[in-house]
Amino acid sequence: MKGWANLNINLGGNEDIPQPSSIDRFFWAKGVRLFGYSNHQWHLAGIINSIAHSIAAVIFIALSLLSKGFPVVLPIIFSTAAVVSLVGTFWNYRRMRKGVQSEVRLSGSGRKLLFKIGQHIGWHDHDSINNMRGNQWGMWWARVVGVKTASQVLTPVGAQLLEAGCIEHNRISGLLKLAKGSTGRSTTLLPQIQAASDEAIVTLINQIALHEEAPETQSVIESQSQIQIEKLHELADRYEEVISGPVTLADRLSSTTVMDNVLDQLRLEAQAHEELRIMDHQE
């Protein structure tokens, strides 16, 4: 028994679990939306809810007209609920369509590639507390069986190209989140930057998917993929310069924060005092 107490079982070693690749993080963040499933369940639920309330409202209105003593409150309640549901569904539909949409769509091969990645690494972020890398049992199991990553189901060339593209796309996504959360910056270009970034990464996915199906096209697809990666890199660099640079006049004019308003008022006060001081000195 003493020997068992001192036994140290280390099936997986003490090495750290590899972090998800940029492809993995991109897929968990955008993969489902690229398939076109994002927010559609809420829209469908709103439509069903609106139809149910409308049917109930019509039935209760008819009963209130045909039957004496029928509670009038029921037609009022369900009619109101039907109107609210219809307005909410229409608003959600308009919100889903708002913004600049990319003209590039996933090809059939691109959808197959993303589906293969999703089947391999899972459709949700494994870094959450309820999944593999977020608990001790999952960490131990990952050390034993290994960590699944997207590059394992791609050819080396395809994995290298898609990883490079996803690095830049994830970088742009982070910059956009930073810009949305910051104050004193203009957000006019954000929809266009998001659409341009999505357009480039979808084009890259379509190209790599074609390469996965026909490796003979490697030379031409590799050159075209590099073009998309370079565009993403340039977009990320230029937007990072804008975010890191000084606040422009356009940013100042579009800003409505309390801090900027107070500072502008204090600057005007200081300027007015300085002008009065100069006038007094001249007199």
Side-chain angles (χ1 to χ4, degrees), residues 6 8 10 17 55 67 69 79 85 103 115 130-131 133 141 153-154 160 175 204 209 215 217 233 239 241 250 256:
N6 295 326
N8 182 19
N10 186 9
I17 298 176
I55 293 174
S67 177
S79 298
S85 299
E103 297 297 329
F115 185 79
N130 295 322
N131 287 301
R133 296 185 180 91
W141 181 251
V153 295
L154 297 169
Q160 182 180 4
L175 291 172
L204 182 62
T217 60
H233 181 73
Y239 193 56
E241 289 179 3
T256 58

Side-chain angles (χ1 to χ4, degrees), residues 50-67 70-79 82:
S50 301
I51 294 174
H53 283 143
S54 299
I55 293 174
V58 170
I59 292 174
F60 286 132
I61 290 173
L63 289 174
S64 65
L65 294 175
L66 298 175
S67 177
F70 188 84
V72 182
V73 69
L74 290 178
I76 295 175
I77 291 175
F78 280 92
S79 298

Side-chain angles (χ1 to χ4, degrees), residues 28 40 51 57 63 66 72 85 95 97-98 103 189 198 201 204 218 223 236 248 253:
W28 289 325
H40 285 195
I51 294 174
L63 289 174
L66 298 175
V72 182
S85 299
R95 185 174 61 86
R97 293 179 59 86
K98 185 175 65 175
E103 297 297 329
L189 287 178
D198 291 345
I201 198 66
L204 182 62
Q218 174 177 333
S223 62
T248 63
L253 292 176

Side-chain angles (χ1 to χ4, degrees), residues 163-173 197 229 232-233 236:
E163 178 74 9
C166 287
I167 287 174
E168 301 302 337
H169 188 278
N170 293 348
R171 182 180 161 204
I172 294 170
S173 298
S197 177
I229 295 170
L232 283 167
H233 181 73

